[in-house]
Amino acid sequence: MPFDIYDFTSLTKWIDTSLHSAMSPFWTTVTEMVIIGVLILLFYAIVGLFLVYAERKVCAFMQNRLGPNRVGPFGIFQTIADLIKLLFVELVPIKNADKFLFNLAPFIVIIASFMAIAAIPFALGLQAIDLNIGVLYIIAVSSMGVVGILIAGWSSNNKYSLIGAMRSGAQIVSYELSVGLALITVVILAGSLQLSTIVESQRDGWFLFKGHIPAFIAFILYMIASTAETNRGPFDLAEAESELTAGYHTEYSGIKFAFFFLAEYINMFIVASIAATVFLGGWMPFHVGGWEGFNHVMDFIPPFFWYLGKTAFVIFMMMWFKWTFPRLRIDQLLTLEWKYLLPINLVNVLFMSFIVLMGWHF
Amino acid sequence: MEEKVKNITADDQQEYVINMGPQHPSTHGVLRLVVSLKGEIVQNLIPHIGYIHRGIEKMCESITYPQIIHLTDRMDYLSAHINNEAVCLNVEKALEIDIPDRIKVIRTIMAELTRIQSHQLWWCSFGMDLGGLTCFFYGLRDREKILDIFEETCGGRMIVSYNCPGGLMYDIHPNFQKRVKEFINYFRKTLPEYDQLLTGNVIFKERTKGVGRLSLEDAIAYGATGPTGRASGFSCDVRKQEPYSAYDRVSFNEVLFNDGDTYHRYLARIAEMRESMDIIEQLIDNIPEGPYAVKMKPVIKLPEGEYYQRVETARGELGVYIISDGNKNPLRVKFRSPNFVNLSILNEISKGWKIADLVAIGGSLDLVIPDIDR
Amino acid sequence: MDNKQLEELITTFDQDIETTEGKQYLEVTLPADKLHSFAAQLKENDKTRFDYLFCLTGVDYGQDLGVVYHLRSTVHSHYIVLKVRTSDRENPKFDSVTDIWKTAEFHEREVFDLLGISFNNHPDLRRLFLDSSWGYPLRKDYVDDINIVTK
């Protein structure tokens, strides 16, 4: 294969065999788990920091101004400064709040997004767990986040937080349906739930182009539904600053608030990377059938950068939505899902099944 | 406020009361709303004001007429120039002074510029309230150009204090005409951008169409004037009914709509911005020559009697009522402020809508709280 | 209708009133008990049709307290000013016109707050800007040693 040099399977195999020769199988597993845990934590932190900075720069670009540009060259240390400040902030205890649940909520939200990162293929061989039910696992695990939000709103002992949490809960649960159905449309085209298989079968063309009309519709539906899933963009009334002054995380300060904040950006990253994996070909380079020279050039760029580039593109689109449109009201949001997105999704799934049965895809 | 709040009791199991306190991002000033909700639907709403009551009317009873002008700046600070103009016109009417044309034309141009910048600020905060945060920056970017013109001519950006009884404080800056013409050309091209960003947006229309309807009878009964009243079909433009300054020599339309909902209040203000630009264009090229102030006595004493002047500020009809007993201080000055009246309709029109709509309705009424409290 | 015709018309409503030609508008002074019925007539009558109350002012004339109503007709475009006075400074009371013009509700609360004039039949007469520890600041005999500096 043209990109054998970028195959991480040999690296991971080498680590595995050297650990096995050094320790018993039990300790090998534990060491491997620790290594992966640390790497994912690091990745999480770096991506979080970078995304917060990117959001501020993109937002500033849309609004005809410069973003952070004082702290460090081009303001790249701004997020670190914010993080240090958040660490020093006083954790204000709430009277009459359920202390256990109040402290538990941010952790649930973080754990849900953490677990979802484990299943995403970053490059060939660079995947923490390659489950054969990959897509199903990711959907299931990221829906645990809503429990954290509801607990946060309830335990804050604050009417505004409760309103925000209720709105958010209703919204996330509704839009999960659309996300699931949009992903199923592609699973039908791919024939497997396993993420590495899905990426492999896009070797000769991304699913967005292979599945033409229904895949394109599924992509749009997925973009809308996932923006709503992560409480972003025009669907962010759960934390509508101009109405409820921060909604479900009003009462959180300091590091706990940082958890919610970070979890939102990581969720956005996860959702974007799933879109990139399933619709845009994961770590596969952009090939145009027949242009051999072009394809060879594309192959030289490491797959990891392809993957990051596609994810970045989807994230940019999500940020673009947020800073352009006004917010939807809760009943308009739910109407959008139940009366428009869900029926279109169902019809699309049938349409895709029909196309796959007849073999009318590329 | 120690007394029990009437009519807001959560008797029904499902009702609860929330407080959109004096500090809130979307009440635009220190306004406290106690809202009784059932789920998300507003049942009843009581506004509490007085957080910025400075006793302007009481103060006016112990100062001279030129000093009153500096207090009026701070009532509705976004129409500062027009408030000043109201007092000056009232005093000049009482003393029966003939104001030269130059002063009238300059006052009208400044009043229309004030109206445009007030509507720009309204537009950007309205967009921000609804969630389109980018609108905030676009509106302010354009408003800075008008504020620069003000600063060059009057010395102040928002609080101008440019009028005085008998005319203006200083003559206009030599660059004034050129800069105003540049601004009009620039803004005519930028205003369609506002339409693209908000007016045609589906989400925006869904949020504002049909929300918070004010009928024509209610508008007259409550006395809601300005763009709020015009959106309901109430023809209340003082510039047409009792033309003052140079409004009798310009032609402009009074734009009325029939549906008194939030979307049409929005459209009424956008239309007003266009009309203001037309008025300025008609006047800016032919500012007559002449003095910029009439010589007045050092101590101004109004003859005994009562005088009332109505002007059209960016938010509605401002009335200045002066009762004089012949001394240098007035006996009573009353400011009939448009925002005071517009606040009283908030309870009526937001019943049955959700909290998110309450924010949209409040934004469309364009309240400036210091004007309510005076 | 101009002021002369208006004057002739309204004297037919009630004999007890006093009309003066002010510098701008026609001013009508009424006894306090005739206020409500006269105001209702002004609004109902087709020839006058004063449906827009644009200013309600409470005044302290020094000895008397009074309220001034500025009215306009959106149909005929004429104006009128109604005035009522009372010399009772302890407990001044007038009739409320809230049922005739809804805008009076807020304005009368302001007059009650700042001058202490109460209005009968007002749906919700509470203080508006200030709380109950203040007196009635807009009165001429209001004394406040801390906040008001008198020469």
Side-chain angles (χ1 to χ4, degrees):
Chain A
M1 277 173 267
F3 33 73
D4 263 343
I5 46 173
Y6 299 129
D7 196 341
F8 280 93
T9 343
S10 42
L11 175 66
T12 44
K13 273 239 167 324
W14 174 79
I15 296 181
D16 194 36
T17 38
S18 48
L19 280 176
H20 262 294
S21 55
M23 320 172 213
S24 61
F26 171 67
W27 283 111
T28 319
T29 329
V30 169
T31 321
E32 281 179 352
M33 279 168 62
V34 167
I35 294 178
I36 293 185
V38 167
L39 278 176
I40 291 190
L41 262 177
L42 273 176
F43 183 70
Y44 204 80
I46 295 177
V47 164
L49 283 175
F50 178 70
L51 274 180
V52 174
Y53 171 73
E55 161 111 55
R56 291 172 75 161
K57 276 295 202 188
V58 166
C59 153
F61 169 63
M62 304 276 168
Q63 292 171 353
N64 198 20
R65 58 186 177 95
L66 306 168
N69 60 352
R70 301 271 167 193
V71 189
F74 298 108
I76 52 181
F77 297 131
Q78 179 71 44
T79 327
I80 301 183
D82 284 336
L83 185 64
I84 296 177
K85 180 219 101 181
L86 277 173
L87 289 172
F88 282 126
V89 163
E90 177 190 354
L91 296 178
V92 180
I94 313 290
K95 200 163 111 174
N96 294 335
D98 192 333
K99 292 206 178 21
F100 172 62
L101 289 178
F102 188 74
N103 291 324
L104 182 63
F107 292 107
I108 296 184
V109 178
I110 292 261
I111 289 173
S113 41
F114 212 69
M115 285 169 75
I117 287 192
I120 299 179
F122 294 107
L124 183 59
L126 198 64
Q127 191 174 4
I129 333 170
D130 193 10
L131 293 167
N132 55 352
I133 49 161
V135 171
L136 180 61
Y137 167 78
I138 288 188
I139 299 177
V141 147
S142 46
S143 56
M144 268 174 40
V146 74
V147 175
I149 293 179
L150 285 172
I151 290 181
W154 168 258
S155 59
S156 300
N157 194 26
N158 178 347
K159 280 174 209 153
Y160 281 125
S161 304
L162 190 60
I163 297 178
M166 290 292 137
R167 282 177 175 177
S168 180
Q171 173 186 337
I172 293 183
V173 161
S174 312
Y175 279 90
E176 264 166 18
L177 284 170
S178 279
V179 166
L181 282 173
L183 288 177
I184 285 182
T185 317
V186 175
V187 163
I188 294 178
L189 186 56
S192 157
L193 283 170
Q194 195 167 1
L195 278 169
S196 54
T197 320
I198 291 182
V199 175
E200 274 296 320
S201 47
Q202 292 183 69
R203 191 173 285 277
D204 47 346
W206 298 350
F207 277 153
L208 189 62
F209 305 121
K210 263 207 211 171
H212 50 89
I213 302 174
F216 189 65
I217 297 179
F219 180 60
I220 296 184
L221 290 170
Y222 179 78
M223 285 306 299
I224 300 176
S226 56
T227 326
E229 268 284 298
T230 50
N231 277 334
R232 273 209 57 99
F235 309 105
D236 62 349
L237 41 64
E239 24 171 88
E241 303 105 27
S242 30
E243 294 166 34
L244 297 178
T245 50
Y248 62 86
H249 54 72
T250 316
E251 300 288 347
Y252 285 90
S253 52
I255 190 65
K256 299 195 194 118
F257 170 72
F259 278 166
F260 276 114
F261 194 56
L262 210 58
E264 179 183 323
Y265 285 103
I266 299 296
N267 272 337
M268 182 169 69
F269 178 79
I270 290 171
V271 146
S273 47
I274 296 175
T277 310
V278 156
F279 291 98
L280 296 178
W283 42 262
M284 287 292 170
F286 181 56
H287 283 174
V288 178
W291 291 9
E292 286 307 319
F294 180 72
N295 291 351
H296 272 294
V297 170
M298 292 287 115
D299 281 345
F300 270 114
I301 307 176
F304 186 60
F305 288 114
W306 275 110
Y307 165 76
L308 277 182
K310 291 171 199 177
T311 312
F313 169 68
V314 176
I315 292 180
F316 178 71
M317 285 220 314
M318 287 173 76
M319 289 183 182
W320 199 354
F321 293 160
K322 170 164 180 155
W323 295 109
T324 312
F325 296 124
R327 221 171 261 139
L328 262 72
R329 214 172 54 200
I330 182 69
D331 61 323
Q332 292 165 346
L333 203 134
L334 294 173
T335 315
L336 178 68
E337 158 63 16
W338 292 98
K339 288 195 194 168
Y340 297 99
L341 289 190
L342 192 60
I344 299 179
N345 238 329
L346 290 170
V347 169
N348 200 32
V349 167
L350 283 175
F351 189 26
M352 177 65 105
S353 328
F354 185 64
I355 288 200
V356 167
L357 276 174
M358 303 297 287
W360 286 348
H361 56 93
F362 291 118
Chain B
M1 309 277 157
E2 308 110 13
E3 334 104 322
K4 289 256 173 270
V5 177
K6 248 194 189 182
N7 298 333
I8 302 265
T9 43
D11 293 326
D12 194 338
Q13 280 284 6
Q14 306 233 352
E15 262 186 47
Y16 62 102
V17 175
I18 66 169
N19 177 37
M20 286 174 82
Q23 289 119 338
H24 188 98
S26 40
T27 51
H28 297 304
V30 275
L31 172 67
R32 179 176 169 220
L33 296 173
V34 178
V35 188
S36 149
L37 300 164
K38 210 180 213 171
E40 281 233 4
I41 314 256
V42 174
Q43 306 294 115
N44 208 344
L45 184 157
I46 292 194
H48 287 275
I49 51 182
Y51 289 93
I52 194 166
H53 177 67
R54 295 152 290 180
I56 288 188
E57 293 176 1
K58 179 85 180 169
M59 275 199 272
C60 289
E61 292 174 8
S62 45
I63 53 178
T64 61
Y65 291 96
Q67 289 174 317
I68 295 181
I69 296 182
H70 299 281
L71 289 178
T72 53
D73 265 331
R74 283 135 179 99
M75 288 189 332
D76 178 0
Y77 45 76
L78 291 175
S79 319
H81 176 92
I82 309 180
N83 298 351
N84 294 347
E85 203 180 339
V87 175
C88 291
L89 287 172
N90 210 358
V91 169
E92 288 154 10
K93 181 163 63 179
L95 294 174
E96 286 167 12
I97 303 176
D98 249 333
I99 297 292
D101 278 348
R102 182 178 174 82
I103 299 175
K104 286 190 186 168
V105 169
I106 295 178
R107 276 181 179 169
T108 311
I109 298 177
M110 295 287 288
E112 293 307 313
L113 283 173
T114 312
R115 199 183 312 275
I116 297 180
Q117 64 93 13
S118 165
H119 287 323
Q120 279 172 331
L121 186 67
W122 157 79
W123 185 81
C124 64
S125 55
F126 189 50
M128 188 176 70
D129 279 347
L130 288 181
L133 295 138
T134 317
C135 303
F136 192 67
F137 292 94
Y138 288 7
L140 285 183
R141 171 197 65 186
D142 302 327
R143 184 172 175 250
E144 283 301 310
K145 300 194 159 44
I146 299 188
L147 294 183
D148 285 340
I149 297 177
F150 280 175
E151 192 185 4
E152 214 178 30
T153 305
C154 323
R157 279 157 52 97
M158 195 164 74
I159 309 288
V160 285
S161 290
Y162 189 45
N163 283 313
C164 59
L168 309 165
M169 293 277 244
Y170 344 93
D171 205 353
I172 51 175
H173 196 271
N175 279 347
F176 183 73
Q177 272 172 306
K178 181 177 72 136
R179 291 187 72 157
V180 172
K181 278 203 267 218
E182 263 170 28
F183 171 74
I184 301 282
N185 287 337
Y186 166 78
F187 197 54
R188 274 207 198 276
K189 296 198 214 77
T190 332
L191 194 52
E193 219 176 79
Y194 292 8
D195 278 334
Q196 274 178 327
L197 199 51
L198 274 189
T199 317
N201 191 322
V202 165
I203 302 179
F204 177 75
K205 281 194 189 158
E206 288 292 307
R207 284 294 295 267
T208 53
K209 270 210 168 135
V211 172
R213 269 224 160 88
L214 178 69
S215 61
L216 178 57
E217 294 78 40
D218 273 343
I220 302 181
Y222 281 103
T225 51
T228 316
R230 283 197 272 283
S232 306
F234 180 20
S235 164
C236 53
D237 197 338
V238 179
R239 299 173 290 174
K240 290 276 194 198
Q241 289 166 3
E242 295 181 3
Y244 54 92
S245 290
Y247 286 109
D248 45 3
R249 65 186 86 174
V250 293
S251 70
F252 62 100
N253 301 324
E254 180 182 0
V255 183
L256 294 173
F257 297 95
N258 281 327
D259 256 328
D261 62 1
T262 304
Y263 185 61
H264 288 92
R265 285 194 278 273
Y266 169 89
L267 287 180
R269 290 196 172 88
I270 302 282
E272 251 188 40
M273 278 203 261
R274 293 203 174 94
E275 296 301 321
S276 293
M277 287 201 283
D278 285 340
I279 296 177
I280 298 180
E281 256 182 359
Q282 288 171 40
L283 291 175
I284 191 67
D285 280 319
N286 324 311
I287 301 184
E289 296 299 325
Y292 63 86
V294 169
K295 192 108 178 62
M296 305 273 284
K297 296 204 187 65
V299 176
I300 298 183
K301 289 191 187 172
L302 259 52
E304 212 174 308
E306 312 186 349
Y307 312 97
Y308 196 94
Q309 175 71 31
R310 305 160 74 208
V311 296
E312 178 82 13
T313 63
R315 280 157 193 81
E317 173 193 324
L318 171 75
V320 179
Y321 178 44
I322 299 184
I323 305 182
S324 166
D325 55 357
N327 291 327
K328 69 173 177 0
N329 305 326
L331 177 74
R332 170 89 163 99
V333 176
K334 155 93 179 173
F335 296 103
R336 183 267 187 206
S337 68
N339 290 294
F340 187 70
V341 173
N342 285 351
L343 179 64
S344 53
I345 65 176
L346 186 61
N347 185 13
E348 190 68 35
I349 60 178
S350 40
K351 283 199 175 54
W353 294 102
K354 304 188 177 54
I355 303 183
D357 300 316
L358 182 60
V359 170
I361 295 172
S364 75
L365 288 180
D366 194 11
L367 299 170
V368 169
I369 314 299
D371 201 23
I372 302 180
D373 290 349
R374 277 163 280 132
Chain C
M1 293 208 272
D2 66 4
N3 286 346
K4 267 258 152 300
Q5 295 168 317
L6 206 49
E7 192 174 344
E8 281 160 32
L9 179 59
I10 56 177
T11 31
T12 60
F13 291 167
D14 208 311
Q15 306 303 100
D16 247 348
I17 57 175
E18 232 180 84
T19 56
T20 12
E21 181 80 30
K23 298 233 166 100
Q24 251 177 300
Y25 307 132
L26 180 66
E27 299 173 12
V28 176
T29 314
L30 308 170
D33 44 353
K34 298 275 168 84
L35 173 64
H36 192 267
S37 50
F38 191 72
Q41 264 190 311
L42 280 181
K43 184 172 181 209
E44 307 296 320
N45 187 304
D46 275 324
K47 296 224 194 71
T48 52
R49 189 59 81 192
F50 284 107
D51 50 358
Y52 176 39
L53 169 67
F54 62 90
C55 190
L56 203 162
T57 319
V59 191
D60 182 350
Y61 291 101
Q63 307 284 44
D64 298 343
L65 293 171
V67 179
V68 181
Y69 301 81
H70 282 79
L71 302 164
R72 178 173 192 268
S73 166
T74 51
V75 174
H76 302 294
S77 303
H78 45 217
Y79 301 83
I80 200 171
V81 180
L82 297 181
K83 297 191 201 185
V84 283
R85 272 196 196 219
T86 174
S87 43
D88 178 4
R89 288 182 80 96
E90 295 302 310
N91 198 8
K93 267 185 187 306
F94 293 114
D95 283 330
S96 167
V97 293
T98 316
D99 47 346
I100 309 178
W101 298 288
K102 288 192 206 166
T103 181
E105 186 182 339
F106 255 58
H107 283 101
E108 287 175 354
R109 275 181 67 184
E110 185 195 351
V111 171
F112 172 65
D113 189 14
L114 295 174
L115 280 163
I117 300 176
S118 13
F119 292 90
N120 305 325
N121 304 324
H122 190 278
D124 183 18
L125 196 63
R126 276 181 292 140
R127 300 196 74 145
L128 191 63
F129 301 129
L130 309 168
D131 62 26
S132 46
S133 60
W134 294 79
Y136 299 117
L138 220 49
R139 290 201 182 184
K140 295 287 180 190
D141 51 1
Y142 177 72
V143 173
D144 185 343
D145 292 322
I146 306 172
N147 298 314
I148 298 187
V149 177
T150 39
K151 294 198 199 108

